[in-house]
Amino acid sequence: MAPPKGKGPIVPEHVLKKRKTLEAIQADRSKKLAEERAKNKVQRGVIFKKAAAYAKEYAQKDADLVRFRREAKKHSNFFMEPEPKLVYVVRIRGINAVDPKTRKILQLMRLRQINNGVFMKVNSASINMLRLVAPYVTFGTPNLKTVREVIYKRGYGNVNRQRIPLTDNKVIEEALGKHGIVCMEDLIHEIFTVGPHFKEANKFLWPFKLAAPKGGLPVKRKSFIQGGQYGDREKYINALVRRMN
């Protein structure tokens, strides 16, 4: 039967209800999206200011070191370089013929695989651990460029025991926001300066899975000072990490 003249087709009531519900959902979604965009815009401004402040802090620190060295040289004195607070440790040997004690220490350091790397705070406990596992690892003092490149390129977060890539600042904010770390630059600053929440930030970072170094690692059974690879290599760890990153 054709509908009455002058009137359109009759829409069932359930279709009208469904349409009304979808319109409400869409309006709510649009509202949340607009609020999220406004929040992200404000957050980007805050992150930009933080990054600028950190860059200024790093530049001032480097300038102070240069000034202290020049003053010491001017007065014919020696300048004692500041003690390192951070080391980067890389495992260079596998699991063959590893005694249980050494294996346990490597597990505590989260170095379960060859070519894995972690940051460590320098204290008496970490120094003793490094001394005990020295034939299996190499370590040194990383500079800002090394810390930034490793975290940006190889950085993954430990979220609910899952390896999550750090492609969004939200991942960092959700895990470390309560400690005032909300973006990648905050995380880099906390690690490089060994801040008050270094433990939480370092625990959040999954051990870095580095590539095999270009050119290989010859003479692994000798220490670095004997022309080998293992042990403390101080600032030369940066060149090794560049080959492995």
Side-chain angles (χ1 to χ4, degrees):
M1 181 177 176
K5 293 182 179 180
K7 294 184 179 180
I10 300 174
V11 181
E13 185 178 356
H14 72 279
V15 176
L16 292 174
K17 286 183 178 180
K18 184 177 181 180
R19 186 183 299 169
K20 187 176 181 181
T21 303
L22 289 175
E23 288 175 354
I25 292 173
Q26 185 65 31
D28 186 53
R29 187 179 298 165
S30 300
K31 183 180 178 182
K32 288 183 178 179
L33 184 61
E35 291 176 353
E36 189 71 19
R37 284 178 176 172
K39 181 182 176 182
N40 288 342
K41 186 176 180 180
V42 175
Q43 189 75 359
R44 282 197 301 271
V46 173
I47 291 172
F48 181 80
K49 289 180 181 178
K50 280 187 174 183
Y54 293 151
K56 186 177 180 181
E57 178 185 339
Y58 301 143
Q60 183 63 45
K61 184 178 179 182
D62 292 340
D64 289 342
L65 282 175
V66 172
R67 180 167 55 85
F68 293 149
R69 292 190 189 107
R70 286 176 177 172
E71 288 182 357
K73 185 177 181 181
K74 182 179 179 181
H75 296 90
S76 301
N77 290 329
F78 292 101
F79 174 69
M80 182 173 289
E81 298 288 339
E83 291 291 330
K85 298 186 292 183
L86 177 71
V87 293
Y88 189 69
V89 189
V90 180
R91 181 166 178 175
I92 60 173
R93 288 180 62 184
I95 61 174
N96 289 342
V98 182
D99 62 276
K101 183 177 180 180
T102 302
R103 184 185 293 113
K104 183 63 177 178
I105 295 174
L106 289 170
Q107 288 178 359
L108 291 174
M109 296 169 67
R110 304 188 299 161
L111 296 173
R112 295 173 177 269
Q113 296 175 328
I114 191 171
N115 295 334
N116 273 14
V118 293
F119 292 108
M120 288 186 68
K121 182 179 180 180
V122 177
N123 52 34
S124 59
S126 62
I127 291 172
N128 289 332
M129 290 170 68
L130 289 171
R131 188 179 295 121
L132 290 170
V133 299
Y136 298 88
V137 299
T138 185
F139 55 93
T141 307
N143 56 25
L144 177 61
K145 183 179 180 182
T146 298
V147 175
R148 177 176 279 120
E149 287 182 351
V150 166
I151 293 179
Y152 266 108
K153 186 174 181 179
R154 303 278 180 176
Y156 284 79
N158 186 352
V159 181
N160 297 326
R161 296 186 178 182
Q162 294 183 346
R163 188 169 179 256
I164 306 298
L166 301 180
T167 55
D168 194 344
N169 286 327
K170 289 183 180 178
V171 178
I172 300 173
E173 185 176 3
E174 290 174 359
L176 301 172
K178 57 186 176 182
H179 303 300
I181 303 172
V182 298
C183 64
M184 190 73 85
E185 288 299 326
D186 283 341
L187 184 59
I188 293 170
H189 181 265
E190 193 70 20
I191 294 294
F192 180 66
T193 61
V194 190
H197 301 293
F198 173 83
K199 182 179 179 181
E200 292 81 2
N202 195 35
K203 187 178 179 182
F204 166 74
L205 286 171
W206 198 278
F208 300 95
K209 295 178 180 290
L210 302 176
K214 294 179 182 178
L217 285 176
V219 200
K220 287 185 181 181
R221 296 187 179 276
K222 288 186 178 181
S223 67
F224 184 74
I225 58 176
Q226 294 175 335
Q229 299 298 332
Y230 76 77
D232 187 8
R233 56 177 67 206
E234 299 180 352
K235 64 180 181 180
Y236 297 104
I237 190 69
N238 298 296
L240 176 64
V241 173
R242 294 217 189 352
R243 288 165 54 201
M244 301 178 73
N245 196 8

